[in-house]
Amino acid sequence: MTRVLIVGAGHAGGRVAQHLVEGGFAGEIVLVGEEVHIPYERPALSKEFLLGKQDVAEFSLPVCEASEACRFERRVGRVTSVDPVERTVSTADGETIEWDRLVIATGADARRPPIPGNDLSHVHVLRTIDDALRLKSAITAAKNLVIIGAGVIGLEVASSARGHGVAICVIEPAERVMARILSPSASHWLAEQHRAAGTDLRLGRGVSEIHGDAVILDDGSVIAADTVLLATGAAPATAAFASVVAAGADGVPTDAHCRVEGHEHIYAVGDVALSSSPIYGRALRQETWRNAENQAQAVAQILLGGEEPYSELPWMWTDQLGHNIQVVGFCAGDREVVRGDPATGKACLFQLDGDRLVGAVLLGEGKQRKHVERLILDRVPVTDAQLGDPVQALKALA
Ligand SMILES: Cc1cc2nc3c(=O)[nH]c(=O)nc-3n(C[C@H](O)[C@H](O)[C@H](O)COP(=O)(O)OP(=O)(O)OC[C@H]3O[C@@H](n4cnc5c(N)ncnc54)[C@H](O)[C@@H]3O)c2cc1C
């Protein structure tokens, strides 16, 4: 009986197990993960869950169960190493688990930059349900919340914390917010929304120390802080896989079929996977809900005998201060064309490279996503005039 061992019982790992069972996999599935919770989706942790509008059951995956064809077992534990020759993993509890096919689905760990004071009890990160519970209870009692990092999670928490009557300061070393994902004009628009909502946004500033009641900036300013969130990104969780991943790699490198390079029976999915993208012809590591969702399905299909390579155009969304913002592709064009007026909260900010669309930021215009994706994927030639004119339906161009 073939045993598939999935390491990491988060969003992608949980979905691989679910799709294997539903796809009639005849064998044994073992899902081993560090968290005690059943697999769940994380986006609500910084949004609805923090706002008290959703509980855990609403974003947990369906409970996976054995079927007639397949055995299923979920274990709680931390995998510490892999032996690709003997086809085993070792766990922190001293267990050895055998496998025929291994799926690495360990996601990413919240980064803790080496700032003195980063381990004080009022300093938080946000990756898991347990992190979110601690942060939620701290914010409820807080007077001064300092968020280090103006990326997606930092700004979503700033938005969610608004209703708690807490003073919020966001500190970001880059000169603009969500700089990795948004175009400069979209960053500028979003920063204005946060400032208008009362957030003290300090751009181009680092933190030199965290104290029990304050954060000290690199220009010597002292910001009162009884609660601090380190929202400084996430690093792929590769520590257990030194035997199959070169030191310093930004994730687990895979081919387009999600197979780990040089190891035909090992696969990687989700945030940890650095997968060869047929769309871009280079390796991409995507930290998004859709990637976890669809790559898990692709790997399950491949384990069930499918041949389709995995191909995914980057897409993410964020909800902040009542605005839904979606980013498709990359903000890496040679110019931006704007349709609509960002001041109204509804606009499309298109990124063009020559006469091709390569990305877009959709402010309150999520309904355009599918058309934008078609224009990018089909490499449809477009003009600035067509994209900038709100009367021209994108659907007709795609
Ligand atoms: C607060 C928050 C908000 C987000 N919001 C959005 C959003 O709005 N839109 C969007 O597109 N994306 C969002 N994301 C990103 C999205 O949630 C992730 O891309 C997705 O969870 C990745 O799934 P994964 O299975 O790869 O990793 P995870 O869901 O993190 O699962 C990995 C699991 O592996 C376990 N693990 C790690 N190492 C080991 C080990 N050695 N042994 C055993 N188990 C291990 C971990 O404990 C974890 O349970 C958000 C993420 C967070 C944290």
Side-chain angles (χ1 to χ4, degrees):
M1 188 179 246
T2 302
R3 176 187 276 183
V4 174
L5 174 65
I6 305 166
V7 179
H11 183 179
R15 284 281 192 233
V16 172
Q18 183 193 341
H19 291 305
L20 282 175
V21 173
E22 289 172 1
F25 176 70
E28 186 180 4
I29 302 164
V30 179
L31 176 63
V32 56
E34 223 183 344
E35 291 185 77
V36 293
H37 308 282
I38 63 167
Y40 59 94
E41 299 177 9
R42 291 174 205 268
L45 296 181
S46 46
K47 311 179 189 68
E48 297 85 352
F49 185 67
L50 217 49
L51 286 163
K53 291 184 177 168
Q54 255 188 36
D55 65 27
V56 172
E58 291 173 83
F59 51 86
S60 294
L61 301 191
V63 175
C64 208
E65 282 171 359
S67 68
E68 273 191 15
C70 119
R71 286 195 206 151
F72 173 76
E73 186 191 349
R74 191 170 87 83
R75 299 190 195 176
V76 176
R78 177 169 186 78
V79 167
T80 50
S81 65
V82 177
D83 185 333
V85 178
E86 294 297 321
R87 295 198 190 169
T88 58
V89 300
S90 303
T91 71
D93 298 336
E95 236 191 316
T96 300
I97 310 174
E98 296 179 352
W99 48 268
D100 300 298
R101 302 283 180 276
L102 177 68
V103 179
I104 299 173
T106 44
D109 297 320
R111 288 183 205 269
R112 263 183 200 267
I115 303 167
N118 71 1
D119 55 351
L120 291 170
S121 61
H122 67 310
V123 179
H124 299 256
V125 294
L126 180 55
R127 181 76 200 177
T128 64
I129 287 176
D130 296 338
D131 293 338
L133 283 168
R134 277 190 293 269
L135 181 64
K136 192 172 167 184
S137 116
I139 288 176
T140 309
K143 287 195 168 58
N144 297 289
L145 168 65
V146 169
I147 298 170
I148 302 175
V152 184
I153 290 176
L155 293 183
E156 285 188 347
V157 172
S159 168
S160 301
R162 280 269 126 245
H164 290 276
V166 55
I168 301 167
C169 177
V170 178
I171 298 155
E172 166 60 52
E175 294 296 336
R176 60 188 184 88
V177 303
M178 282 178 63
R180 232 167 25 98
I181 300 174
L182 295 181
S183 64
S185 64
S187 283
H188 178 73
W189 173 84
L190 186 58
E192 287 310 305
Q193 307 309 306
H194 279 273
R195 287 201 164 110
T199 298
D200 176 5
L201 186 57
R202 311 273 179 118
L203 299 177
R205 281 271 74 86
V207 172
S208 38
E209 258 178 90
I210 304 172
H211 293 178
D213 57 358
V215 163
I216 316 297
L217 304 194
D218 54 7
D219 62 353
S221 336
V222 178
I223 316 272
D226 51 29
T227 303
V228 176
L229 173 67
L230 294 173
T232 42
T238 55
F241 310 108
S243 57
V244 294
V245 180
D250 177 38
V252 179
T254 78
D255 64 17
H257 288 84
C258 309
R259 281 193 189 91
V260 176
E261 285 167 10
H263 299 276
E264 64 169 325
H265 299 309
I266 308 182
Y267 302 78
V269 287
D271 285 9
V272 76
L274 180 65
S275 303
S276 171
S277 162
I279 301 171
Y280 292 98
R282 64 182 167 90
L284 279 189
R285 195 171 69 76
Q286 301 191 43
E287 289 181 20
T288 64
W289 176 91
R290 181 163 82 173
N291 180 61
E293 190 75 12
N294 291 349
Q295 197 170 24
Q297 186 158 25
V299 164
Q301 285 310 317
I302 289 165
L303 287 165
L304 288 164
E307 304 270 318
E308 275 292 299
Y310 173 65
S311 180
E312 185 74 65
L313 186 68
W315 169 71
M316 63 78 66
W317 83 94
T318 173
D319 295 319
Q320 297 175 32
L321 303 169
H323 298 286
N324 173 260
I325 303 160
Q326 304 194 17
V327 185
V328 185
F330 291 109
C331 289
D334 56 35
R335 65 196 185 284
E336 183 168 80
V337 172
V338 178
R339 170 183 288 223
D341 180 3
T344 64
K346 280 172 84 70
C348 301
L349 282 58
F350 297 110
Q351 287 286 316
L352 282 106
D353 187 11
D355 63 356
R356 305 297 149 111
L357 191 62
V358 293
V361 180
L362 306 175
L363 307 177
E365 288 283 8
K367 60 181 185 302
Q368 304 294 353
R369 172 176 62 85
K370 283 204 157 43
H371 312 312
V372 169
E373 288 180 340
R374 276 272 56 89
L375 288 169
I376 297 175
L377 286 170
D378 295 346
R379 298 185 48 75
V380 177
V382 284
T383 65
D384 293 21
Q386 285 172 323
L387 290 180
D389 178 3
V391 175
Q392 285 261 2
L394 291 180
K395 190 177 176 183
L397 297 177

